[in-house]
Amino acid sequence: MALITCQNLCLGYDGQEILHGLSFKVNSGDYLCIVGENGSGKSTLMRTILGLQKPLAGQILTGDGLRISEIGYLPQQTPVQKDFPASVREVVLSGFEGSCRWRPFYTKAEKQRAEDNIRSMGIEHLTARCYRELSGGQQQRVLLARALCATSKLLFLDEPVSGLDPKVTAEMYDLIEKLNREQGITIIMISHDIDAALRYASLVLHIGDRVFFGNREAYRSSGIANLFVKGGVTG
Amino acid sequence: MTAVLEKLALYWQYPFVRYALAVGVLISLCSSLLGVTLVLKRFSFIGDGLSHVAFGAMAIASVLHLTNDMPLVLLITILSAILLLRAGQNAKIKGDAMVAMISVGALAIGYLLMNLFSPSGNLSGDVCSTLFGSTSILTLTKTEVRLCAALSVLVVAAFVFFYHKVFAVTFDESFAAATGVKTKVYNFIIAVIIAVIIVLAMNLVGSLLISALVIFPALSAMRAFKSFRSVTVYSAVLSIFCSLLGILISILAGTPVGSTIVAVDIVLFFVFSALGRILGGVHA
Ligand SMILES: Nc1ncnc2c1ncn2[C@@H]1O[C@H](COP(=O)(O)OP(=O)(O)OP(=O)(O)O)[C@@H](O)[C@H]1O
Ligand SMILES: [Mg+2]
């Protein structure tokens, strides 16, 4: 059975529909890239799959014994209040909270993994800094490290490279690919970067006026990408 | 100076003074713990609303001529906390309007009840002490002291146990919910803890000044410290320090205990604001 199956999904807010009749499947080990214009409902789709809001209609089924505590999530925007006192270490460690259940502290192994994730994001010099005093790109990396702490199976990324410089963007894509290839973590990523989608992802979901779901070869030949990005995509 | 010390030594011999200090320390410790959460999260509105509800509950208790009013006040306040939390989560009914309704309503009805059925002749004195705290914490009975102590210990234990959860839920609720943290349960627990803290703090400073007791130490600590843990620890330390100082001053100078403590809190807040500006924040 597929890891995630969406059947005839209708999405929207307060009964106002923004997408309907969406069906697709994600298997373990897949790398799905969701593309579409601003406001087409990508973040809404992700939030709905994560159970943060209810679908207007349709079903979301999970399989392969997926538990919610095995999911990592990088939100598009984190509404952290301006004055919140939180160090980078505290933020990253909070990624483990979902798997703690009633345990009131973090284990040695968890702390070690948090350190590792902080290092792989290249922010070890910021560990003791206050989260809200970091630059946008630095905050993004902290949240990614947190997402990595939360996951062992499935990682949801909402525009993971927005605000990152080109070098770190490339590193980020490599890292995500490594997680997918080597650790078998399923990736569901929203991106406006069609080039990257066509280079790394195994599946593409395009939403908007025209909806497409299939592997990247089919997407390339469908020509929808060319409609979406003026000037076309070479690949 | 020696006169002051002598006076203190004299007071120290009385067990009720020692009780008062112990209770003051415990309550101020508790009230500071959730300060950050209350300052930053939408829980702040619950805190404010609940202190008014607690006033209404006190009024009902005094009308019923209860000798020990804390259990009833506690019950009503906890129930209201749950109600307010529900209202806050329901987007259809405006949460803020609901809180305003409940809190102002509780104030009005509380005063009305006390006016109609006042058990003692001294109505304005009663109202004043419910709003601003009794003129002296020394009037707490032994049962009240015991109850305060027990509740304080419970609150501290619960906070320590749920510390990381409180952080996760306060920092980023949707991430927490998406990754399997039972945010609804923890919101509920936080609301109940807030209710207990408010009833406790009411004994020390009265219902109108509760927010000050809860919020000022956290605000002070946030001026100088930048991690959740250091802010939590230092707001507890500051809160205890201010309460002890406030209680001592109020005993010596004969000032009302609640407003004295809050005045000390405010002075410290300005000291820390200045410190924070000079140091630019300590990265601890
Ligand atoms: N909280 C909300 N309440 C009501 N409508 C909303 C809400 N959030 C988003 N919308 C609407 O839903 C639609 C889809 O929004 P969504 O955030 O999912 O778009 P998106 O595809 O992620 O866009 P972007 O590429 O800019 O991130 C938009 O038209 C938006 O106006
Ligand atoms: Mg979006």
Side-chain angles (χ1 to χ4, degrees):
Chain A
M1 180 170 176
L3 197 59
I4 288 181
T5 312
C6 292
Q7 287 171 349
N8 257 321
L9 220 49
C10 273
L11 307 176
Y13 294 89
D14 304 322
Q16 277 247 317
E17 191 174 90
I18 51 178
L19 256 183
H20 68 98
L22 195 62
S23 299
F24 63 93
K25 261 186 198 170
V26 180
N27 288 307
S28 289
D30 281 351
Y31 188 148
L32 170 70
C33 193
I34 302 174
V35 295
E37 293 159 43
N38 289 135
S40 53
K42 303 181 296 297
S43 300
T44 308
L45 172 63
M46 192 167 269
R47 291 175 54 82
T48 309
I49 300 175
L50 285 165
L52 296 175
Q53 62 188 77
K54 287 210 171 71
L56 298 181
Q59 276 185 312
I60 301 165
L61 308 169
T62 58
D64 295 350
L66 179 69
R67 273 177 293 140
I68 186 171
S69 58
E70 295 168 328
I71 294 175
Y73 173 43
L74 176 77
Q76 182 171 23
Q77 277 158 346
T78 307
V80 178
Q81 291 179 46
K82 211 174 101 265
D83 283 337
F84 203 104
S87 70
V88 167
R89 183 186 287 111
E90 286 174 322
V91 173
V92 173
L93 269 172
S94 73
F96 289 113
E97 203 48 69
S99 47
C100 277
R101 294 167 149 263
W102 293 100
R103 174 158 44 84
F105 51 84
Y106 299 121
T107 62
K108 268 232 174 68
E110 283 170 342
K111 284 180 187 154
Q112 185 56 48
R113 253 185 78 197
E115 296 289 324
D116 293 345
N117 290 332
I118 286 175
R119 205 166 314 119
S120 70
M121 287 295 126
I123 47 173
E124 58 269 44
H125 58 291
L126 303 174
T127 314
R129 286 281 298 278
C130 178
Y131 173 81
R132 65 170 198 263
E133 289 172 353
L134 303 180
S135 77
Q138 290 171 330
Q139 290 186 347
Q140 185 80 348
R141 292 197 234 174
V142 174
L143 296 186
L144 256 164
R146 177 182 69 168
L148 291 181
C149 287
T151 188
S152 53
K153 267 197 182 166
L154 175 58
L155 189 53
F156 285 86
L157 304 166
D158 197 340
E159 304 196 13
V161 297
S162 71
L164 299 182
D165 60 48
K167 179 167 167 280
V168 180
T169 299
E171 282 171 16
M172 186 64 59
Y173 281 129
D174 287 343
L175 182 90
I176 295 169
E177 196 190 20
K178 232 166 87 185
L179 289 172
N180 181 244
R181 285 260 171 83
E182 291 172 13
Q183 298 184 32
I185 293 177
T186 310
I187 308 284
I188 298 183
M189 173 172 81
I190 294 175
S191 178
H192 287 295
D193 187 351
I194 301 256
D195 282 330
L198 291 180
R199 183 145 13 103
Y200 297 103
S202 56
L203 294 171
V204 178
L205 172 65
H206 182 120
I207 57 180
D209 296 338
R210 289 177 66 183
V211 173
F212 172 90
F213 175 68
N215 62 30
R216 64 176 165 188
E217 283 75 27
Y219 184 60
R220 216 176 255 153
S221 51
S222 74
I224 297 178
N226 299 21
L227 287 176
F228 179 49
V229 182
K230 288 199 185 74
V233 175
T234 49
Chain B
M1 194 62 204
T2 40
V4 170
L5 284 180
E6 264 169 32
K7 200 168 175 189
L8 279 180
L10 177 71
Y11 274 115
W12 188 250
Q13 294 173 345
Y14 297 104
F16 55 81
V17 175
R18 298 202 293 266
Y19 289 152
L21 282 174
V23 168
V25 167
L26 282 170
I27 291 178
S28 49
L29 172 61
C30 291
S31 64
S32 66
L33 290 179
L34 282 173
V36 181
T37 314
L38 271 168
V39 171
L40 290 171
K41 241 207 143 172
R42 51 180 204 297
F43 284 115
S44 55
F45 76 86
I46 295 185
D48 236 26
L50 282 188
S51 53
H52 297 157
V53 169
F55 170 78
M58 281 287 252
I60 293 175
S62 74
V63 165
L64 295 176
H65 299 283
L66 292 180
T67 43
N68 185 3
D69 51 15
M70 246 170 82
L72 179 73
V73 176
L74 197 61
L75 184 75
I76 294 179
T77 314
I78 289 179
L79 287 180
S80 314
I82 295 166
L83 205 75
L84 286 180
L85 189 71
R86 279 273 170 82
Q89 280 167 349
N90 187 346
K92 293 251 163 60
I93 309 167
K94 272 266 171 275
D96 293 352
M98 177 94 170
V99 175
M101 265 164 51
I102 291 185
S103 61
V104 181
L107 268 183
I109 292 184
Y111 184 57
L112 193 65
L113 282 176
M114 282 177 111
N115 224 318
L116 289 177
F117 307 100
S118 180
S120 76
N122 181 10
L123 175 67
S124 59
D126 282 350
V127 172
C128 205
S129 73
T130 325
L131 286 177
F132 295 103
S134 45
T135 40
S136 168
I137 193 175
L138 306 179
T139 55
L140 285 181
T141 65
K142 212 166 177 181
T143 359
E144 279 171 329
V145 169
R146 284 209 186 113
L147 200 54
C148 280
L151 284 174
S152 306
V153 170
L154 265 180
V155 166
V156 174
F159 180 80
V160 170
F161 191 80
F162 293 116
Y163 169 79
H164 289 296
K165 269 107 183 146
V166 170
F167 175 81
V169 172
T170 325
F171 182 73
D172 188 349
E173 185 168 351
S174 23
F175 174 84
T179 54
V181 177
K182 302 227 169 346
T183 50
K184 284 211 176 108
V185 176
Y186 296 124
N187 275 333
F188 176 82
I189 292 173
I190 292 173
V192 171
I193 295 181
I194 290 173
V196 176
I197 287 175
I198 280 171
V199 174
L200 276 174
M202 197 157 160
N203 288 305
L204 193 59
V205 296
S207 63
L208 272 190
L209 300 180
I210 288 172
S211 300
L213 191 70
V214 171
I215 285 169
F216 271 110
L219 284 177
S220 301
M222 279 160 62
R223 295 280 141 163
F225 300 96
K226 299 295 166 81
S227 76
F228 192 69
R229 178 149 62 170
S230 49
V231 167
T232 305
V233 169
Y234 283 98
S235 57
V237 171
L238 290 180
S239 179
I240 291 175
F241 172 77
C242 290
S243 294
L244 279 181
L245 199 62
I247 293 174
L248 288 180
I249 292 176
S250 81
I251 291 176
L252 291 174
T255 50
V257 69
S259 31
T260 312
I261 292 176
V262 173
V264 176
D265 271 320
I266 291 173
V267 170
L268 212 72
F269 170 72
F270 284 112
V271 170
F272 267 76
S273 297
L275 270 183
R277 198 155 298 165
I278 295 165
L279 300 178
V282 182
H283 297 298

